[in-house]
Amino acid sequence: MARHECDVVIIGGGITAAMVSQKLAELRPAWKVIVVEAGKRLFDVENRFSYRQRSLDYGENQWPGDFVADQGARGLISRTMAVGGSALHWGGVCNRFSEEDLRMKSLYGVGVDWPLDLDWTDLEKHYCEAERRLGVSGEDSPLPEDKRSEPYPMPAMTKSFNLIQLESWAEKSGIPFWTTPQAKNTVDGYGGRGKCRRCNTCEICPTGARYSPDWTFKQLLEGKKIELHDQSIVRKLVLDDTTTRIVAARAAKEDGTDDDVEYRARTFVVTSGYCWSSHLLLLSANSRFPNGLANSSDHVGRYMNGHLAYQTTIDLDLKIYPGMNEQHSLISRQFFRCRTDRPYVRHDLRVWENGGGRGPQLRDAGGRLLLGDALVADWRTRLTRGTARVRGYYAVEPDKESRLTLDPAAKNKWGDPLPVIQHRVDQATQLRASATREHFQTLFADLAKANDGRMANVSNLSYQDHPGGGCRMGTDPATSVVTSEGRTHDHENLWVVGSPTLPTGGCTNGTLTFVALALRSTTAIAR
Amino acid sequence: MRRPKRSSVNRPIIRAVQRRTVLQSIAGLFAVRPFARLRGLSQTPAPANLTNENIRALRAIADVVLPASIGAGARDRAVAGFVTWIRNYKEGADRGHGYGSATLAAPSGPSPAARYPAQFAALDKAAEALGIASFAGLPLERRRPVIEAALNTPQAVMRLPARPTGANLVADFMGFYFNSADGFNLAYNAAIDRDACRSLEGSDRAPEPRRT
C-alpha cells in the first residue's frame, strides 16, 4: 500500500476544496496539503471550444469523462465526479441568502435556526471574501435589507436588450428587479481569466470568464502549493485505536494503476459535497462508531435539504431576440422577507429571455406542409411577441427523515454500498403546500397582466434543487454533526465543509453561501 | 411522322389523372420502410461520408425546402454544413448526464447516415417514375411533389428534429438548417448569432439586421 503523509488531506476536489486549499495555502504556506479526488482532472483548456461546439452540434458531454461510471446514487441530481466537481457545469449564479435564513425558527417558527455563533455580520464578511475569490460581477440590490459591506468585485454584466425589455415589463407589477450576480468576468484579467464573450454556454465556458474550480487548482499546482491526487476514491476514514482522532484516509485508484493508497495527516477535511460526504462517514463505521464516523448523534445523512420551484412562461407583447444572453437573468429578492401577518412563503423571483414554442414548424395549423419561404413566413407570424421564463425558488424545510442512507442492493466495483437520497419535507411545509401554489399562481398572473401577457401552465420542479445537508451544523452535538465552523462534534481533527453543513436550503442558489461558510471554516482549520 | 397534338380541351383532365397516378406511385416508393424494400442497400455498411451523388441530391432537396430568398450560396453552405455534420458524427460518444438526473445518458448511437442510402435511392426511384434518371435531374417544380411524398409517407413527419436522427432525410436536413443559428437569424431578420462567442459591448441594443 502506498502511503502519503501531509498536514491536511482534503477529500473531494470541487469548488469547496478549491476555496479551502487556496485559502489554506495563503494562511499556512508551510503546510503540506493533498487534495484527493475520485474523478479525473480535465485541465485541457485548449479543447474547450471544441467540446462546446460538439455539445452544440451533437449533444455530446461538454466535459467528456467527468464522471465515474459505477459511482452513482439514486436521488442524485448531478453525476459530475471530476476535479472541479459540479461547478464545472455551474451557471455561475452567486446569490446570497438573507439574514432571515439564519433565524428561521425564531422569526417564522419553521425549520431550525442556524448556530447562534454564526451571525449575519460574520457571514456577510465571508460572502465578500467568496465574491472576491470567485470573481463576482453584480448590481446592488435596491432593497435596504440587502446592504453590502463591500462593493461587488466587478461591475454588473451588461443588461441585454432582452433583459431591458423584460425588466420594463416585470416592474409594471410593482416588484423591483435587477440583474443576478454571477461569477463571470466583466473586466479582462480578473483572477487571470478573460472577459465574458457571451458564448451562451456557461455550462462550459470556453473563455474562462466564468469561474471554474479547475482554474484555482491549476494555479495552486503551478505554484506548488498543493498536491492533487485525482482518480483516487477515498473509501474509508480510519480512527485511531485509542482516541477519537482520525489517523488515515484509505483510497483506491480508479484507474487501477496502483495498489490502495493511505493518506496520513493531522487534519482531515471532507469536501465531497452533499452526497459523498455523508456517504464516506457512513462507510467508515467501525466498532466504536457503528453508525458511521461523526455520527454519535445519528444525524449523518439526515435533514437533506434544497429548495423547490414554481415556474411558468409568459407570452408577452414584446420584441425579444432569444439567444442574446440566455443564461443572464433578472432577480427580485422582495419575497426573501415574508410578512408575519401573511401565510409563510419565502422565495426568490427570476426572469429569463425564452425562445420556447417559437421555433420553426413543418406544418401549418391545418396540417399542411410548409417548405422554403412559406415556412419562414409562418414562423415570423409567431415572432411578433416574446416570451419570458419566470421561476421562483421557494424555501422548504427538511424532515428529519429526509435522508441519505446506504443502499445494500447497489454497490460499486469495490463492493461498497452506494448511497440513496430521499428528500422529504417536514409537516409544516406539506401543510402550506396549497397556499404556496396559490401564492405563485397569483404572483405570476399579476406579472402577466402587463403587456397583454398570457401565462402558460404553472409547474413545480420535480426535485429539490441546489441540494445540501446531511452533516448539518449546530451547537448541540445531539442534533447536529458539525459546529458552525465545520469541525465534527465527535472527532477533533475531522472537518466537513461546504454544502452538507447547511441546516436549511434557503430560497435561492446556495453555492455562494456554502463557499462563504467553507472560507470561514478554513480560518478555523488553519488555527 | 409527328404525332398529332392532344386536344387542348382534354389536357387538364389528362394532366390531373397523370399527376395523381404519378404521385401515388411516388408515395408508394416511400410507403414501405426503405430498409425493408431495398434490402441490398440495407446490408451495406453505413457510409461515413455522403457520396457526390448524395450531395447533388441534397442540393436538389435544398432548392425545394430551404427559402429561395436566402440565395443559392446560402443553400449550398447549408448543404456543406450538413455534409460536415455527417462526416464528423461520432458513434458511441459520451453524451454526459443531464442536470436533475441520477443517470448517465446512453452514448450516441449509429450515424443517422446509415439510414440515408435507402432514402436517397427512393428519391431516385421516384424521379425514375417521372421519367428522369435521378432526383437531382428533376426540374425544380417536379421535385416538390417527391419531397412532399417523402415527408408524408409512410407516416407524416409532424415536427422538424432538433438534430438529424436518420428517420427522415428531408426532415433531418430541414431541421438542421431551420434550427441552426442561421435559421433563427433569418426568421428574426437579425444577427443574433446565438451560437457565437460575442462581445458584451452593444448587447444592450437590439441586434443588427441579419447579414446576407
Side-chain angles (χ1 to χ4, degrees):
Chain A
M1 179 185 290
R3 181 174 290 181
H4 299 276
E5 305 249 354
C6 57
D7 294 293
V8 180
V9 62
I10 297 174
I11 300 161
I15 193 168
T16 303
M19 292 291 103
V20 171
S21 46
Q22 185 188 56
K23 186 167 178 176
L24 263 186
E26 293 162 9
L27 294 177
R28 295 290 179 188
W31 284 8
K32 181 177 178 183
V33 176
I34 300 179
V35 177
V36 187
E37 163 58 44
K40 297 172 188 163
R41 62 178 83 189
L42 307 170
F43 287 178
D44 55 341
V45 179
E46 66 280 8
N47 291 325
R48 286 200 187 145
F49 274 100
S50 155
Y51 293 148
R52 169 185 179 271
Q53 198 58 48
R54 291 204 64 86
S55 169
L56 288 171
D57 291 346
Y58 299 95
E60 293 177 7
N61 191 353
Q62 306 107 333
W63 297 90
D66 70 335
F67 57 87
V68 176
D70 70 339
Q71 203 71 8
R74 279 191 288 140
L76 263 181
I77 64 163
S78 169
R79 284 295 303 271
T80 304
M81 192 171 271
V83 176
S86 300
L88 292 177
H89 296 259
W90 189 30
V93 171
C94 279
N95 296 330
R96 295 175 169 196
F97 282 13
S98 73
E99 193 167 356
E100 287 75 10
D101 280 295
L102 276 59
R103 302 289 177 260
M104 298 295 290
K105 187 75 175 174
S106 303
L107 285 169
Y108 303 113
V110 302
V112 63
D113 285 346
W114 289 19
L116 290 173
D117 61 332
L118 171 64
D119 64 19
W120 182 252
T121 305
D122 190 358
L123 181 58
E124 204 275 340
K125 182 179 75 177
H126 289 95
Y127 271 136
C128 292
E129 182 183 356
E131 288 163 349
R132 283 195 306 273
R133 289 181 185 275
L134 298 175
V136 176
S137 52
E139 176 184 3
D140 282 345
S141 159
L143 305 178
E145 302 91 332
D146 293 331
K147 200 177 113 193
R148 306 169 51 83
S149 62
E150 291 179 21
Y152 280 107
M154 280 179 279
M157 180 164 289
T158 309
K159 212 177 288 178
S160 72
F161 173 83
N162 292 337
L163 285 189
I164 292 169
Q165 309 305 304
L166 292 171
E167 186 179 41
S168 68
W169 153 70
E171 290 200 330
K172 287 178 183 166
S173 64
I175 301 167
F177 283 88
W178 58 100
T179 52
T180 311
Q182 305 171 95
K184 295 174 194 168
N185 277 12
T186 53
V187 296
D188 232 342
Y190 191 99
R193 297 179 285 120
K195 183 176 174 180
C196 174
R197 285 172 55 196
R198 210 162 42 102
C199 299
N200 229 11
T201 52
C202 299
E203 59 278 12
I204 179 160
C205 175
T207 66
R210 192 264 287 158
Y211 174 79
S212 188
D214 55 299
W215 287 85
T216 301
F217 283 120
K218 281 180 75 174
Q219 287 171 338
L220 292 169
L221 289 168
E222 282 163 12
K224 302 192 187 312
K225 311 280 190 191
I226 62 162
E227 284 183 25
L228 172 62
H229 296 189
D230 61 333
Q231 299 185 77
S232 304
I233 184 163
V234 175
R235 298 178 55 210
K236 193 177 180 65
L237 296 170
V238 182
L239 195 63
D240 179 64
D241 288 339
T242 54
T243 71
T244 56
R245 290 179 65 85
I246 308 302
V247 292
R250 292 211 177 116
K253 293 292 282 181
E254 269 294 331
D255 60 6
T257 55
D258 222 334
D259 288 337
D260 288 352
V261 186
E262 185 172 272
Y263 296 91
R264 301 187 80 86
R266 285 191 292 113
T267 301
F268 294 81
V269 185
V270 179
T271 60
S272 306
Y274 75 100
C275 176
W276 304 106
S277 299
S278 294
H279 179 246
L280 176 61
L281 297 178
L282 294 176
L283 275 187
S284 301
N286 59 42
S287 58
R288 286 158 57 206
F289 286 85
N291 294 326
L293 291 182
N295 200 20
S296 61
S297 63
D298 188 30
H299 272 61
V300 170
R302 291 191 185 271
Y303 293 104
M304 300 297 289
N305 57 58
H307 36 243
L308 289 170
Y310 277 108
Q311 55 201 0
T312 192
T313 55
I314 299 176
D315 173 274
L316 296 163
D317 188 16
L318 283 179
K319 187 68 180 175
I320 298 290
Y321 298 91
M324 287 191 76
N325 196 353
E326 285 172 304
Q327 301 197 12
H328 198 18
S329 68
L330 300 171
I331 186 170
S332 180
R333 293 167 62 93
Q334 175 155 313
F335 301 93
F336 275 47
R337 289 97 199 171
C338 177
R339 280 170 46 176
T340 48
D341 61 343
R342 293 222 177 139
Y344 172 81
V345 57
R346 290 181 72 239
H347 62 90
D348 71 1
L349 190 57
R350 307 271 293 279
V351 177
W352 291 265
E353 63 171 72
N354 187 263
R358 297 193 191 278
Q361 291 186 1
L362 182 60
R363 293 176 187 272
D364 66 12
R368 287 177 292 273
L369 274 173
L370 294 164
L371 303 177
D373 286 302
L375 186 152
V376 176
D378 169 82
W379 191 358
R380 285 178 173 160
T381 64
R382 282 175 277 112
L383 304 182
T384 55
R385 295 170 63 86
T387 306
R389 180 162 72 93
V390 184
R391 169 186 274 188
Y393 281 121
Y394 63 93
V396 295
E397 282 69 51
D399 191 80
K400 189 178 180 184
E401 295 305 311
S402 186
R403 292 188 73 178
L404 178 149
T405 53
L406 299 182
D407 182 355
K411 295 187 175 176
N412 63 13
K413 60 176 169 284
W414 313 106
D416 298 327
L418 292 165
V420 55
I421 299 168
Q422 289 179 300
H423 278 114
R424 192 173 294 177
V425 297
D426 68 4
Q427 194 180 22
T429 305
Q430 291 176 43
L431 287 172
R432 64 175 189 265
S434 61
T436 301
R437 182 178 177 85
E438 199 174 310
H439 168 87
F440 277 103
Q441 289 272 10
T442 306
L443 177 63
F444 293 160
D446 285 347
L447 276 168
K449 272 181 194 162
N451 284 72
D452 188 25
R454 298 166 205 164
M455 186 174 75
N457 289 336
V458 175
S459 63
N460 199 349
L461 201 63
S462 62
Y463 57 87
Q464 291 206 15
D465 207 353
H466 308 128
C471 299
R472 74 173 185 175
M473 58 178 165
T475 47
D476 183 354
T479 58
S480 60
V481 177
V482 298
T483 67
S484 72
E485 291 178 327
R487 188 197 298 265
T488 59
H489 294 302
D490 291 346
H491 313 280
E492 64 172 326
N493 69 333
L494 176 62
W495 304 70
V496 180
V497 179
S499 61
T501 67
L502 295 181
T504 45
C507 60
T508 199
N509 310 54
T511 303
L512 189 76
T513 299
F514 68 72
V515 165
L517 291 170
L519 293 168
R520 183 174 180 270
S521 295
T522 310
T523 307
I525 294 167
R527 259 182 241 135
Chain B
M1 193 173 76
R2 292 178 67 181
R3 291 171 65 185
K5 280 187 179 176
R6 288 176 185 150
S7 160
S8 60
V9 177
N10 291 335
R11 198 171 297 154
I13 298 169
I14 292 168
R15 275 190 181 160
V17 171
Q18 283 179 330
R19 187 168 179 274
R20 198 177 306 129
T21 307
V22 169
L23 286 179
Q24 280 169 348
S25 73
I26 291 170
L29 290 166
F30 296 103
V32 182
R33 290 200 177 278
F35 273 148
R37 196 175 56 77
L38 300 168
R39 198 168 297 278
L41 280 173
S42 72
Q43 291 169 348
T44 58
N49 297 314
L50 299 173
T51 65
N52 288 337
E53 288 73 23
N54 294 157
I55 294 168
R56 271 195 290 278
L58 273 173
R59 289 199 185 108
I61 293 170
D63 292 341
V64 178
V65 302
L66 300 192
S69 56
I70 64 174
R75 290 198 297 278
D76 282 350
R77 284 194 294 278
V79 170
F82 187 74
V83 171
T84 302
W85 190 95
I86 293 294
R87 186 172 62 232
N88 292 337
Y89 183 91
K90 289 181 190 164
E91 297 182 7
D94 172 5
R95 292 200 304 122
H97 38 88
Y99 187 69
S101 167
T103 55
L104 300 171
S108 58
S111 169
R115 300 173 71 181
Y116 291 157
Q119 298 181 60
F120 279 117
L123 290 173
D124 285 340
K125 287 274 184 192
E128 283 172 26
L130 295 167
I132 305 290
S134 69
F135 176 77
L138 282 175
L140 181 61
E141 70 279 6
R142 299 182 75 184
R143 289 180 220 155
R144 185 177 172 106
V146 177
I147 293 289
E148 288 182 348
L151 287 167
N152 281 324
T153 48
Q155 283 103 29
V157 180
M158 301 306 291
R159 289 181 188 83
L160 296 176
R163 292 193 183 90
T165 65
N168 189 294
L169 166 67
V170 177
D172 280 359
F173 177 65
M174 290 179 73
F176 178 82
Y177 174 77
F178 287 113
N179 284 315
S180 72
D182 283 348
F184 273 73
N185 281 359
L186 173 70
Y188 281 89
N189 193 27
I192 303 169
D193 297 337
R194 177 190 71 196
D195 295 341
C197 291
R198 303 148 290 178
S199 167
L200 289 172
E201 275 70 40
S203 61
D204 54 346
R205 297 190 298 273
E208 296 291 318
R210 182 178 77 96
R211 295 174 291 274
T212 52

